[in-house]
Amino acid sequence: MDKQTLQSLCLKLTGATHDYKPEWDADRYLVGGKMFALIGADAHGKPLISLKKCDPFFAEELRENYEGVVPGYYLNKTHWNSIYFDANLPEELWERLIVHSYELVFQSLSKKVQKEILEA
């Protein structure tokens, strides 16, 4: 997978926004001000995407079944997965995981904020 494709997948979601954190050297993807994805690199400069709010059991299953899926890099290891761009995930799984992270964060927002995002 490449960064441009991952960015496009994140930004096509309703209300998704992007910012860049220079101190992290990372791109953040947010909905309602809450982060659902982070694109950056590990300590060796190897690019990865971290996705929030993965069910702990599903997160562990992904780590066991796919090389390149690791506990959240510099993030909560229980609820975040980091996925290296060269991971052997099927293309449709990349999108499913991004959408899953987005939906869980979106659902955690107040009804008022959800409505504002949907009506924008």
Side-chain angles (χ1 to χ4, degrees):
M1 189 58 62
D2 62 85
K3 182 176 180 178
Q4 185 176 4
T5 302
L6 292 172
Q7 288 177 320
S8 294
L9 290 171
C10 289
L11 289 174
K12 78 176 190 177
L13 300 168
T14 303
T17 60
H18 165 264
D19 72 10
Y20 179 75
K21 295 289 281 184
E23 60 272 20
W24 299 353
D25 192 22
D27 294 277
R28 296 187 318 161
Y29 300 87
L30 307 102
V31 61
K34 293 187 177 188
M35 187 169 64
F36 68 90
L38 175 84
I39 294 179
D42 68 11
H44 305 287
K46 190 172 177 183
L48 51 75
I49 184 170
S50 296
L51 299 171
K52 187 174 184 179
K53 298 287 188 180
C54 192
D55 171 85
F57 297 107
F58 184 50
E60 189 59 38
E61 181 180 322
L62 287 168
R63 295 172 196 164
E64 289 174 5
N65 291 323
Y66 295 101
E67 187 176 329
V69 179
V70 297
Y73 187 75
Y74 273 111
L75 300 163
N76 181 308
K77 309 279 187 250
T78 303
H79 296 285
W80 286 77
N81 272 334
S82 292
I83 307 165
Y84 287 100
F85 286 12
D86 63 358
N88 61 344
L89 272 69
E91 196 166 318
E92 63 276 358
L93 184 55
W94 285 97
E95 183 168 8
R96 193 173 107 213
L97 292 172
I98 290 168
V99 170
H100 177 69
S101 179
Y102 166 88
E103 287 175 345
L104 287 170
V105 173
F106 182 83
Q107 291 168 3
S108 74
L109 302 172
S110 70
K111 297 295 179 196
K112 178 183 175 188
V113 172
Q114 288 179 15
K115 184 178 178 185
E116 289 170 358
I117 290 169
L118 293 173
E119 291 177 350

